[in-house]
Amino acid sequence: QVQLVESGGGLVETGGSLRLSCAASGSVYDIDDMAWYRQAPGKEREEVAFITHGGTTRYAASVQGRFTVTRDNAKNTVFLQMTTLLPEDTAAYFCYANIRDHTLSFQTYWGQGTQVTVSA
């Protein structure tokens, strides 16, 4: 079995910063793409930041220039550094990874989510 465990969420004031982490554990043979998504109440889940195994990144327009996604392939971990946070960034943040697991094929995995709340 594979697990994605997120950490680092919390309550922060407008303009503040937070760093999210997501570590994959279990039967992990290889990890391809990783990403962060978020879902606010009453809204659809949206991709926030995406990173390939080689480090190529892609960001939602709403977070470009404020958020940075990185990964440590040796530790099967992806990070999301969030700066200049705004109230509209309030959401549950989910980690996504495309992982080659015990089946030796790539499968999609999701973390359980971590709440980020930005106060006005």
Side-chain angles (χ1 to χ4, degrees):
Q1 288 283 13
V2 171
Q3 281 191 318
L4 293 179
V5 179
E6 299 124 333
S7 61
L11 174 64
V12 64
E13 294 182 345
T14 296
S17 299
L18 283 174
R19 187 180 191 232
L20 306 183
S21 300
C22 172
S25 63
S27 300
V28 177
Y29 286 77
D30 192 14
I31 302 179
D32 192 5
D33 303 332
M34 303 185 83
W36 289 95
Y37 283 71
R38 68 185 179 187
Q39 187 167 19
K43 295 189 177 181
E44 294 186 356
R45 187 173 296 191
E46 63 171 348
E47 182 186 288
V48 174
F50 169 94
I51 184 167
T52 67
H53 182 84
T56 300
T57 59
R58 175 177 76 211
Y59 297 95
S62 59
V63 307
Q64 182 77 46
R66 300 188 297 120
F67 290 11
T68 303
V69 59
T70 57
R71 61 189 287 173
D72 183 335
N73 290 330
K75 296 183 178 180
N76 294 334
T77 301
V78 63
F79 305 95
L80 185 67
Q81 179 68 48
M82 305 184 292
T83 63
T84 319
L85 283 161
L86 304 170
E88 48 264 45
D89 294 318
T90 295
Y93 283 71
F94 298 88
C95 171
Y96 156 96
N98 198 20
I99 298 174
R100 190 197 304 272
D101 60 13
H102 66 283
T103 65
L104 300 184
S105 62
F106 282 95
Q107 310 288 340
T108 297
Y109 286 90
W110 291 90
Q112 80 286 356
T114 187
Q115 180 67 34
V116 171
T117 302
V118 184
S119 62

